Amino acid sequence: MIRKIIQYLLWLEAKLILWRYHPLIIGVSGSCGKSSTKEAIYYALKNYFLVDKSSENLNTEIGVPLTIIRGKDAKRNIYLWIYNFLHAIFLFVFKDKNYPKILILEMSEDHPGIMKYFFNLTHPKIGVISWINQIPVHAVFFNRAEEVHQEIQNLVILLPKDGIAIINTDNDLSREIINKIRAKVITHGFKNADVLISDYSLFAEEKNIFNLGMTLRIEYQGSYIPLKLKNIFGKPQAYAISAAIAIGLALDLNLVEIAEGLGEYKVLKARTHLIPAINSALILDDSYNSNPDALKAALETYEEIINLMEKESLFNLKRRILVIGSMNELGKYTQKAHQEIAPLLIKNADLIFLVGEYTKTTLEECKKLGFKEDNIFWFKDSKEAAKTLKEIIREGDFILIKGSRGIHMEEVTLALMQEPGKAKEYLSFEEPK
C-alpha cells in the first residue's frame, strides 16, 4: 500500500515537472544492454546539450519518476523520501535553469502494461531498443514470450509520427517491427544498417592485456569515422556505441562531434572488465546480470579475447574457466534456458563452475553432452564457489564470471581479485530491485 502511494505521488510530481520544463525524452528499453546504451547516449550528447540520465538501474515505476524529479534512490529511508517530495515541489515552483533539456530514461519491461505506463508519463520522442531476447527476461509475469517481446516493442510502436526509433538490424525481434513503426526509423548494426559498424576488432596497446580496447569504423550516408576506444570491447558495447551515434546524428550532430563525446565513455561496473586475479590469473568480470543472450555475448567476447591473446602472445593461457550463476526471472523458460547454454559452455571451457539451483539443469546437460565430470562443479551459492575457486586458481587461468543479480557473482570476483581494495572500481554490490 505504501509503495502504491509513493508511486502515485512520484507520478504526479514527475508529470508536473515534465509540464514545467518540457525536456526531450529518450526512452531506452530491451532485454539486455539497456544501461550500456543509455550511458553511451549520454556521453555522445553531453558536450553539446544539457542532458541527464537514469542513474544505476532506476528503470521502474518508481525509478523513472525519481530521475525526472532529480531525486535520490531512497529505498526504505523515510527522510530521503521526504527530501524527494519536497525537492520536486521546489523544482516545480522555482524554475531551475540547469534542469536538463534532454532526459535519457532507461525503462524496464518487467510486467504487462509497464511500457504504456512509461509512455503516458513521459511521451518520449526518441525510442531505443537495445536488444530483444528470444527467451524473454522477466517472463515470470507474462504468459507467453511474445507478450514480453510486445511489451518492449511498444516503446517504438507507440512513438508519434514526428518521433525517432533507433533499431538494431542484427536483432530479429527488433527488425521485424520496423514496418509497424509510425516514427522515423534509424537502424544500426553490423549489417544492412543506416549507421553501419565495420572493421570491428580488439587491440591491446603496448602488448598489455589490461590496455584492451576495440577499433571499429562507423559509416553513415557516405561518410565514415574510425573509432579507437580504450577499455571498451565486445560487440554489445559496439551496439551501444552505434545506437548512441544514431541518436547524435538524429539531433544534428556530426560524426566527429559524436566521436569526441564517446571518447569519454566508460563501461559500467560489473560489465566486461578485465581484472588481475590472485596467482597471476586473469578475470573477465561480467557479473552484473545474466540471461541467455547476454551470456552468449559474454562468451563470444571471452573467445575474442582468447584469440587476441594467442595471436599477440599477451597472456600465457593455460586453463579456460567459466564461473556461471543461475539466470533468474525466466519463468517457465528457466529449465529450457539452462539446458540450452550447456553446449556454449563446454565449447569454451576447460573447467566449469556452476552456481545456484537452476544451474543443476546445466550440470546434467553438460554431463550428457560428454563434458568430463571431474572438470565440472556445482555450488549452492557464490560464497561456496568463491572458497573453492580461491584454492584452485593458478597462473595462466582465464576466468569468466557471470550470473543473475540474485546470485551475487560479484562475491566470486571479489574473492579472486589480486587487489580487493579496488573492488568498488569494478564491482556492483547493490541489492537487486
Side-chain angles (χ1 to χ4, degrees), residues 35 82 111 218 266 331 388:
S35 295
I82 293 170
H111 63 260
I218 299 291
K266 294 178 178 63
T388 299

Short mmCIF file of all heavy atoms in Angstrom, two decimals, residues 35 82 111 218 266 331 388:
data_model
loop_
_atom_site.label_atom_id
_atom_site.label_comp_id
_atom_site.label_asym_id
_atom_site.label_seq_id
_atom_site.Cartn_x
_atom_site.Cartn_y
_atom_site.Cartn_z
N SER A 35 21.39 -0.43 -20.01
CA SER A 35 22.20 0.52 -19.24
C SER A 35 23.42 1.00 -20.03
O SER A 35 23.75 2.19 -20.01
CB SER A 35 22.65 -0.10 -17.92
OG SER A 35 21.53 -0.37 -17.10
N ILE A 82 11.05 12.04 2.10
CA ILE A 82 10.55 13.39 2.39
C ILE A 82 11.34 14.42 1.59
O ILE A 82 10.76 15.35 1.00
CB ILE A 82 10.65 13.68 3.91
CG1 ILE A 82 9.67 12.79 4.67
CG2 ILE A 82 10.37 15.16 4.19
CD1 ILE A 82 9.85 12.81 6.18
N HIS A 111 6.79 -6.15 -16.35
CA HIS A 111 5.44 -6.69 -16.22
C HIS A 111 4.50 -6.07 -17.24
O HIS A 111 4.79 -5.02 -17.82
CB HIS A 111 4.90 -6.50 -14.79
CG HIS A 111 4.75 -5.08 -14.37
ND1 HIS A 111 5.67 -4.42 -13.59
CD2 HIS A 111 3.76 -4.17 -14.62
CE1 HIS A 111 5.26 -3.18 -13.39
NE2 HIS A 111 4.11 -3.01 -14.00
N ILE A 218 32.58 3.48 -38.32
CA ILE A 218 31.16 3.79 -38.41
C ILE A 218 30.88 4.52 -39.72
O ILE A 218 31.50 5.55 -40.01
CB ILE A 218 30.69 4.66 -37.22
CG1 ILE A 218 30.91 3.94 -35.88
CG2 ILE A 218 29.23 5.08 -37.39
CD1 ILE A 218 30.03 2.74 -35.66
N LYS A 266 32.72 5.37 -20.50
CA LYS A 266 33.30 4.34 -19.65
C LYS A 266 32.29 3.22 -19.44
O LYS A 266 31.10 3.48 -19.26
CB LYS A 266 33.70 4.92 -18.29
CG LYS A 266 34.83 5.94 -18.36
CD LYS A 266 35.13 6.51 -16.98
CE LYS A 266 36.29 7.50 -17.03
NZ LYS A 266 35.99 8.67 -17.86
N GLY A 331 10.93 -17.50 -15.64
CA GLY A 331 9.63 -18.15 -15.56
C GLY A 331 9.65 -19.57 -16.08
O GLY A 331 10.54 -20.36 -15.78
N THR A 388 36.08 -22.42 -2.98
CA THR A 388 36.75 -23.48 -3.73
C THR A 388 37.65 -22.91 -4.82
O THR A 388 38.80 -23.36 -4.99
CB THR A 388 35.71 -24.43 -4.35
OG1 THR A 388 34.93 -25.01 -3.30
CG2 THR A 388 36.38 -25.53 -5.15
#
